């Protein structure tokens, strides 16, 4: 049994291997930990690898499968930092519902992955613990904010990982690292125990090596939770049952105006190639119009900062983590001074920028012009998507207008970083389910990906379309050969 061999298999293949008695869950965990030790010094995908992996009862549908979780998802008795200095030393007194569900499903938690502080960013460069790297290219970012989770799955350290997605943080790093990323319909997966960034947009989702695995992990995560009043009390359905439905008869909507401008040439050519191959395989390509999507990035950055400024008000130096010490040997400090010093020391630059922006857009003088206006655009956008879905089953765009960029390339230019979210934020603003599927690599050896959005609660058709993309592009089979060539 070779560790490298195991680290390339999908969740489904690993479950079959254990069923056949080829290896045990304990051996698999050992192989993954060995792979982390070998690869993570260079990648920094993990912020913590547990000495004792958190194993669970056996017999569940993910029995014996190792995974990693993002640093903003609560695990009882473990540090929960969101890769922020302000939460240093804060230990979670409870499990997030997703953590508990994976425990019940029998998965083994190996450790915690790196992320942009409080999930604010697209490159994992905003982590208090330092950046992660892209396994395909030493100088490229892995994307963000779930960059550590994406790098860990891509590099064969774990067969799947959890991420959170507020504006693309599961799907964009998945695209940059050549893995699959799913953001479920808002309300499908519980947010209980996910540290809130923007509560009306946040959703937990899996990063996996293929679409079938995304379906498998999603099935373990999804469902009503009395601890999150925004979860839906509706049957999740068997998404694996329809996943092999294939491209024939699938109506794929393409918002032409959105995909023709400001897109990297390789990304655009690859997107056209995927659509064309889907068409040849029997799918029908339909033009759709989403005029409000042009305003989606602006809308998103008004709403997410507004919600963040309110959600992050709780980090006051009293209840959680870091507290600033009194200055110059003083015995005491006032509450205001202490809170102010704690927040000044504890938050990084991007988080402060968002708190300031969010406070501004909510202020009495400006709420009408910004927050209220953005809320209206959000409604408009949802209506446009609903109308588009009258003529198609899924809507396709690239996941990101560029492949993974170089470290430092956008770090000094927040607007350039924000504009990269153009294709992902609409799914959060509308609540719709969306999926990123890798398609190929460009000449520099960087992965490219397609992004699919489906009507609310139609994860079944979304995953079927994603599986169809795998069929026509074959990246799923080629991944490891391509990766060896590029590194
Ligand atoms: N890149 C986006 C942002 O910085 C999305 C982040 C996310 O989904 N958590 O807000």
């Amino acid at each position: 049994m070779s560790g490298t061999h195991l680290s390339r298999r999908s969740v489904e293949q690993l479950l079959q291997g254990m069923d056949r008695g080829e290896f045990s869950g304990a051996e698999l965990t050992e192989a993954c930990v060995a792979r982390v030790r070998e690869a993570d010094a260079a990648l920094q995908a993990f912020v913590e690898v547990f000495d004792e992996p958190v194993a669970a009862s056996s017999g569940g549908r993910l029995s014996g499968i190792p995974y990693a979780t993002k640093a903003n998802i609560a695990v009882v008795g473990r540090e929960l930092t969101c890769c922020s200095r302000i939460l240093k030393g804060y230990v979670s007194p409870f499990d997030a519902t997703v953590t508990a569900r994976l425990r019940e499903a029998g998965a083994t938690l190996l450790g915690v992955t790196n992320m942009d502080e409080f999930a604010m960013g697209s490159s994992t460069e905003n982590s208090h613990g330092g950046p992660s790297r892209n396994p395909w290219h030493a100088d490229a970012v892995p994307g963000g904010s779930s960059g550590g989770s994406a790098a860990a799955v891509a590099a064969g350290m774990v067969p799947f990982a959890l991420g959170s997605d507020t504006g693309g943080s599961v799907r964009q790093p998945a695209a940059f690292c050549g893995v699959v990323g799913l953001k479920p319909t808002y309300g499908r997966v519980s947010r209980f125990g996910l540290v809130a960034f923007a509560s009306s947009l946040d959703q937990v989702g899996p990063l996996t090596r293929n679409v079938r695995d995304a379906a498998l992990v999603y099935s373990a995560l999804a469902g009503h939770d009395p601890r999150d009043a925004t979860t839906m009390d509706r049957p999740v359905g068997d998404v694996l049952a329809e996943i092999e439905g294939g491209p024939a008869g699938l109506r794929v909507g393409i918002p032409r105006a959105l995909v023709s401008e400001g897109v990297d040439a390789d990304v655009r050519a690859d997107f056209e190639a995927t659509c064309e191959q889907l068409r040849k395989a029997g799918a029908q390509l339909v033009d759709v119009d989403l005029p409000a999507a042009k305003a989606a990035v602006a809308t998103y950055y008004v709403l997410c900062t507004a919600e963040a400024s309110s959600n992050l008000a709780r980090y006051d130096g009293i209840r959680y983590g870091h507290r600033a010490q009194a200055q110059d040997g003083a015995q005491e400090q006032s509450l205001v001074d202490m809170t102010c010093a704690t927040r000044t020391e504890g938050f990084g630059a991007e988080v402060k920028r968002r708190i300031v922006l969010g406070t501004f857009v909510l202020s009495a003088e400006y709420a009408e012009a910004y927050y209220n206006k953005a809320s209206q655009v959000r409604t408009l956008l949802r209506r446009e998507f609903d109308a588009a879905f009258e003529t198609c089953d899924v809507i396709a765009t690239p996941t990101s207008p560029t492949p993974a960029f170089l470290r430092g390339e956008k770090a000094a230019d927040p607007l350039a970083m924000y504009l990269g979210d153009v294709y992902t934020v609409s799914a959060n603003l509308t609540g719709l389910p969306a999926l990123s599927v890798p398609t190929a690599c460009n000449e520099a050896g960087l992965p490219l990906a397609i992004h699919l959005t489906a009507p609310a609660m139609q994860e079944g058709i979304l995953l079927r379309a994603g599986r169809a993309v795998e069929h026509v592009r074959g990246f799923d089979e080629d991944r490891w050969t391509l990766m060896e060539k590029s590194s």
Side-chain angles (χ1 to χ4, degrees), residues 70 72 116 118-123 126 144-146 164-172 197 202 300-301 304 350 354 417-418 421 424-425 428:
K70 188 173 178 176
N72 59 353
D116 286 300
F118 283 106
M120 298 174 187
S122 307
S123 65
N126 300 333
S145 64
S146 314
S164 66
D165 192 312
T166 303
S169 278
V170 164
R171 294 160 284 152
Q172 182 260 25
F197 161 10
D202 300 340
Y300 168 79
Y301 278 94
C304 84
E350 181 61 25
R354 305 242 183 153
M417 193 77 92
Y418 299 171
D421 297 337
T424 50
V425 293
N428 303 82

Side-chain angles (χ1 to χ4, degrees), residues 69 72-74 94-102 104 162-165 183-196 198-199 201-206 217-234 236 459:
T69 201
N72 59 353
I73 296 175
F94 56 80
D95 268 339
T97 296
V98 288
T99 311
R101 291 215 168 156
L102 291 179
E104 279 157 33
L162 290 187
S164 66
D165 192 312
K183 183 203 81 80
T185 306
Y186 186 81
R188 272 299 202 195
V189 174
S190 171
R191 292 178 296 109
F192 178 76
L194 166 70
V195 177
S199 311
L201 305 163
D202 300 340
Q203 194 68 190
V204 174
V217 179
Y218 164 76
S219 305
L221 298 174
H224 178 63
D225 177 14
R227 288 173 156 149
D228 174 359
T230 63
T231 54
M232 289 177 291
D233 198 356
R234 309 245 185 105
V236 176
E459 278 82 1

Side-chain angles (χ1 to χ4, degrees), residues 11-16 18-19 56-66 101-108 160 212-223 236-241:
V11 172
E12 220 173 17
Q13 290 167 336
L14 291 167
L15 286 169
Q16 287 159 1
M18 281 186 280
D19 268 355
S57 53
S58 56
R61 62 176 118 196
L62 296 173
S63 191
I65 298 294
R101 291 215 168 156
L102 291 179
R103 206 189 282 270
E104 279 157 33
T108 303
F160 83 91
R212 291 185 63 91
D213 281 2
L216 207 63
V217 179
Y218 164 76
S219 305
L221 298 174
V236 176
D238 180 2
V239 286
L240 274 159

Side-chain angles (χ1 to χ4, degrees), residues 297-307 357-358 361 370-372 374:
V297 169
T299 307
Y300 168 79
Y301 278 94
V302 169
L303 296 176
C304 84
T305 56
E307 293 190 33
L357 265 170
V361 300
Y370 294 103
Y371 183 80
N372 296 355

